[in-house]
Amino acid sequence: MADTTDRWQPSPQLRALLYTDFDGNPADPDDVIADALDDDGYLERTPGLTEILQDENADPAGRLLACCALTSWADPLGYDTVIHAATHPDNVAWRGQSADRFFSQDDTFGLLADAVGSSADMVSERGTADRRVEAARSLISLADRFQFDRHISSLLTRELVEACQDEIRSVVEGGITHLASGVHIPFDLGLQLALLTVAMKKFDEERANNAMLRLAAARPGERALRELADATGSSLWTM
């Protein structure tokens, strides 16, 4: 999950909740989160993670992990925390607690995107489908200003794309303008916009095609151009 620094260590409480499997053995948080869906194991760990997430004095990296876990389990508090974080992106306590390996930029919103995306199978059981959509909308709205990299794809499933059409259109337009301005952008905005324009083709093909042309003209980078080529089956984007 979070690519935190080598020096960081989880608190004893967090270690028991996310670094210990249901047989009491050391485990990776991703495995614990997935395994917790079997036999409703997540119900056992939700109270402790809720306590960590709501504790403003708790370790920020620990709160991020707690949020990712609860969100992956379609917990309403997880979704509400994601929405609040996206609404106040510059004031999130855990910003900078996880960084990507390519650009060394904060990728905490990408981790939240993955958590929202992976929660699809739980929303019916927990009655939180609407909150999931709102969380997806709030994160997509940040994608022209903050790093998501390929994590944005976690929010581009058919049902979420259909529900987030306005946000996708707005972010693509704003992002292309930002990219074309020539200002330095410390992450691969071009790739994120390429993924979003490809998703846009599902509901507004004409506007998506126009956006792809303008995106390509804005020199979005090789990764973005390859994505456009793969999605359209055309080599024109890479010439």
Side-chain angles (χ1 to χ4, degrees):
M1 185 175 291
D3 184 19
T4 51
T5 63
D6 293 338
R7 300 179 188 177
W8 181 81
Q9 292 294 324
S11 67
Q13 182 184 16
L14 186 65
R15 185 176 294 280
L17 291 167
L18 289 182
Y19 288 81
T20 305
D21 67 19
F22 291 89
D23 294 320
N25 301 312
D28 182 87
D30 288 331
D31 294 332
V32 173
I33 291 170
D35 292 344
L37 298 178
D38 296 332
D39 300 321
D40 292 338
Y42 69 91
L43 295 174
E44 172 188 326
R45 309 231 170 161
T46 290
L49 291 170
T50 297
E51 180 181 345
I52 291 173
L53 180 56
Q54 293 183 320
D55 183 358
E56 295 183 357
N57 296 315
D59 171 31
R63 294 180 71 193
L64 171 63
L65 284 167
C67 184
C68 288
L70 292 172
T71 302
S72 296
W73 299 336
D75 188 277
L77 175 62
Y79 289 139
D80 287 346
T81 303
V82 170
I83 294 167
H84 184 270
T87 305
H88 305 86
D90 294 314
N91 299 313
V92 182
W94 55 62
R95 287 288 306 283
Q97 296 298 311
S98 176
D100 76 294
R101 298 176 182 176
F102 296 103
F103 301 100
S104 297
Q105 295 293 314
D106 175 86
D107 69 349
T108 54
F109 286 117
L111 298 179
L112 297 180
D114 286 343
V116 171
S118 67
S119 65
D121 293 339
M122 289 292 293
V123 291
S124 295
E125 177 180 333
R126 309 207 66 185
T128 52
D130 290 344
R131 300 309 291 159
R132 179 173 182 261
V133 169
E134 288 304 312
R137 284 184 176 135
S138 67
L139 290 172
I140 288 173
S141 295
L142 299 179
D144 58 338
R145 294 176 287 145
F146 293 89
Q147 171 162 289
F148 284 83
D149 209 74
R150 291 194 178 279
H151 296 289
I152 197 67
S153 295
S154 296
L155 303 175
L156 300 180
T157 58
R158 182 179 299 276
E159 75 277 10
L160 290 180
V161 166
E162 183 175 346
C164 301
Q165 294 181 24
D166 290 342
E167 289 76 18
I168 293 172
R169 288 191 187 98
S170 177
V171 165
V172 166
E173 291 303 314
I176 292 175
T177 299
H178 189 193
L179 195 64
S181 71
V183 66
H184 173 67
I185 301 171
F187 60 92
D188 197 343
L189 176 59
L191 174 65
Q192 293 173 196
L193 295 175
L195 293 168
L196 286 162
T197 56
V198 170
M200 190 192 297
K201 285 179 68 69
K202 299 175 184 178
F203 60 86
D204 194 339
E205 185 170 1
E206 181 177 356
R207 185 175 294 190
N209 289 336
N210 179 269
M212 287 181 179
L213 291 171
R214 290 184 289 116
L215 176 58
R219 298 183 179 181
E222 291 185 7
R223 297 170 79 206
L225 294 175
R226 285 199 302 270
E227 198 67 37
L228 295 177
D230 290 345
T232 61
S234 173
S235 61
L236 294 176
W237 307 109
T238 57
M239 291 178 63

